[in-house]
Amino acid sequence: MKLSIFILFVAIAFGACNQKNSNLTIKPEAFHQLIDGQQVDLFVLKNKNGIEIAVTNYGGRVVSLLVPDKNGKMEDVVLGYDSLDGYLKADEEYFGASIGRYGNRIAKGTFKLDSIEYKLAINNTPNSLHGGVKGFCKKVWGVTQKAENELELVLVSLDMDEGYPGELQVTMNYKLTDNNEFVITYKAESSKPTVLNLTNHSYFNLHGAGNGDVMDHLLQLNADKYTPVDSTLIPTGNIDPAAGTPFDFTKPVAIGARIKDQNEQLRFGLGYDHNFVINKADEKALALAGSVYEPQSGRYMEVFTTEPGVQFYCGNFLKGINLGKQGKPYKYRTAFCLETQHFPDSPNHPDFPSVVLRPGQIYNSECIYKFSVK
Ligand code: GAL
């Protein structure tokens, strides 16, 4: 008890220091609320270059991420809300959210593990999406600000939480380095055999959140292959070559260049909403997943991961109904996500890299979003 009071005090002290010299427009008070009897707050990470990341322990969400353009002008490049109420009231778009237990879709919300069939909530008819009705994005995480540039978030997900077996202990670390890398690491252990696929669902717009669409952003993916889907966005099981299709991003191409092509996969995804298979010799090695360059501002973002795949989604479901930070609407295709992950619906595809976590094993995953200018 005494230790937790001390940790809370340190966290508040860091928060207070962080408030000075900050370019953030959001106010930490707007996130100070009890949910399920647990304290929710806003925490700020900073590095020596003036980059700032605001995170709330409600859903482990990245609320704001300030990065400079080529002239040093700071802009908030992630979608989100000014207050906790924004997240609680709006339709769930998973802005900045930590996703678990299973990032992406599981077909018809069912899977078999060791001959036992498990049933999950169908929250994205006819499938289960991003951990179900009350996934990790809606849970209050325990939080410790370890340093001005580092936050640790912890969560215990009980046995059969949202239908998933095993009590799961998750530790997620957010660190902002002086090389302008936002490093996310995940560790987890389960008391029973289970499946796990954790990711972060930040939506980026390198013009700045709410400043137009992302069709002019140049995307490059380190992926020769992708996993095509059916009309409900469940992988067919094939792993297809991207060459010669609108899914070839092996050289930088504007996101909008081929998005209106006549293509069944683009029709099913309503645009890009697909898992790309990252080229790597060793499946678990940290490797470049891709990069995005926005020529006007010069902002450049690279994504590295230990995961075998990355979901490239370009905001096809955004409607601009819920007003985001500073009252800006987030309209159709005004952001992109690069969600590092195992492949969608892997529990039902034995040929895909395994997502099974057994007692005694430690789940490890890392994702780095690195910012610079060109
Ligand atoms: C993405 C997913 C999309 C959509 C979005 C949330 O991860 O690929 O299909 O569900 O989340 O609106």
Side-chain angles (χ1 to χ4, degrees):
M1 185 66 187
K2 275 190 186 144
L3 181 66
S4 61
I5 290 172
F6 174 72
I7 290 170
L8 186 68
F9 174 76
V10 173
I12 290 169
F14 267 119
C17 303
N18 271 335
Q19 273 252 273
K20 296 174 205 155
N21 314 317
S22 174
N23 287 312
L24 285 172
T25 54
I26 37 175
K27 304 212 164 20
E29 308 86 87
F31 285 80
H32 184 73
Q33 213 181 110
L34 279 180
I35 295 186
D36 301 338
Q38 290 169 279
Q39 187 63 52
V40 173
D41 267 306
L42 190 77
F43 301 84
V44 180
L45 306 182
K46 285 180 174 190
N47 74 359
K48 70 166 193 224
N49 308 318
I51 293 194
E52 292 179 75
I53 305 178
V55 172
T56 174
N57 57 321
Y58 173 69
R61 290 172 191 250
V62 177
V63 174
S64 172
L65 201 167
L66 291 178
V67 292
D69 68 4
K70 58 189 170 198
N71 301 313
K73 186 174 175 276
M74 290 291 180
E75 195 78 58
D76 187 351
V77 296
V78 293
L79 274 49
Y81 298 106
D82 284 316
S83 68
L84 188 61
D85 279 347
Y87 291 91
L88 298 174
K89 288 183 186 150
D91 287 347
E92 185 56 89
E93 307 270 16
Y94 307 96
F95 289 156
S98 295
I99 305 289
R101 294 191 187 191
Y102 201 92
N104 220 309
R105 292 175 173 82
I106 294 185
K108 302 195 170 63
T110 62
F111 67 94
K112 254 191 191 165
L113 179 58
D114 299 340
S115 315
I116 304 169
E117 185 168 71
Y118 294 97
K119 289 206 177 300
L120 313 167
I122 309 292
N123 61 333
N124 186 256
T125 312
N127 304 315
S128 181
L129 175 69
H130 292 336
V133 177
K134 190 173 178 183
F136 291 2
C137 60
K138 288 190 164 60
K139 308 228 187 212
V140 180
W141 293 62
V143 58
T144 310
Q145 183 131 22
K146 304 211 108 185
E148 199 182 30
N149 68 336
E150 188 178 352
L151 205 64
E152 186 174 275
L153 296 127
V154 292
L155 188 68
V156 178
S157 168
L158 297 177
D159 188 18
M160 296 314 286
D161 183 15
E162 287 290 329
Y164 291 93
E167 181 174 304
L168 194 77
Q169 315 259 354
V170 188
T171 303
M172 183 167 70
N173 188 282
Y174 285 166
K175 193 166 184 176
L176 174 61
T177 72
D178 285 336
N179 289 326
N180 299 348
E181 298 153 319
F182 175 33
V183 184
I184 307 174
T185 53
Y186 306 89
K187 273 198 185 340
E189 285 184 82
S190 177
S191 65
K192 291 183 185 162
T194 194
V195 295
L196 191 63
N197 191 25
L198 303 175
T199 192
N200 177 273
H201 207 296
S202 287
Y203 285 71
F204 298 93
N205 180 328
L206 301 182
H207 291 297
N211 298 345
D213 68 40
V214 292
M215 294 300 105
D216 59 350
H217 287 44
L218 302 176
L219 171 70
Q220 182 163 19
L221 292 173
N222 178 26
D224 295 339
K225 296 184 180 131
Y226 75 111
T227 51
V229 288
D230 66 15
S231 61
T232 75
L233 296 180
I234 292 294
T236 59
N238 295 339
I239 296 185
D240 281 0
T245 77
F247 294 84
D248 186 358
F249 284 96
T250 51
K251 296 199 174 63
V253 190
I255 292 176
R258 298 162 302 181
I259 204 165
K260 292 185 180 147
D261 283 9
Q262 288 303 316
N263 175 287
E264 184 179 61
Q265 284 300 309
L266 287 173
R267 192 155 51 78
F268 287 163
L270 306 176
Y272 294 106
D273 193 355
H274 293 78
N275 170 63
F276 287 75
V277 180
I278 301 167
N279 300 332
K280 45 166 107 169
D282 170 3
E283 191 197 293
K284 293 191 170 123
L286 183 69
L288 181 72
S291 63
V292 184
Y293 175 55
E294 191 279 284
Q296 251 175 286
S297 66
R299 289 192 184 92
Y300 181 58
M301 183 179 96
E302 291 159 284
V303 185
F304 301 86
T305 181
T306 55
E307 291 294 314
V310 62
Q311 182 84 7
F312 166 47
Y313 165 63
C314 65
N316 308 311
F317 296 113
L318 292 175
K319 295 187 187 71
I321 297 168
N322 305 313
L323 296 185
K325 284 173 281 188
Q326 299 180 292
K328 291 181 182 177
Y330 298 139
K331 296 187 183 152
Y332 184 53
R333 294 185 178 161
T334 57
F336 67 90
C337 301
L338 286 171
E339 303 151 54
T340 59
Q341 60 176 13
H342 269 60
F343 305 170
D345 198 31
S346 295
N348 293 309
H349 291 274
D351 294 345
F352 286 176
S354 173
V355 288
V356 176
L357 179 68
R358 296 191 179 276
Q361 295 179 329
I362 299 181
Y363 172 98
N364 274 303
S365 180
E366 185 171 347
C367 167
I368 302 176
Y369 295 108
K370 181 174 184 186
F371 297 92
S372 56
V373 289
K374 289 214 273 190

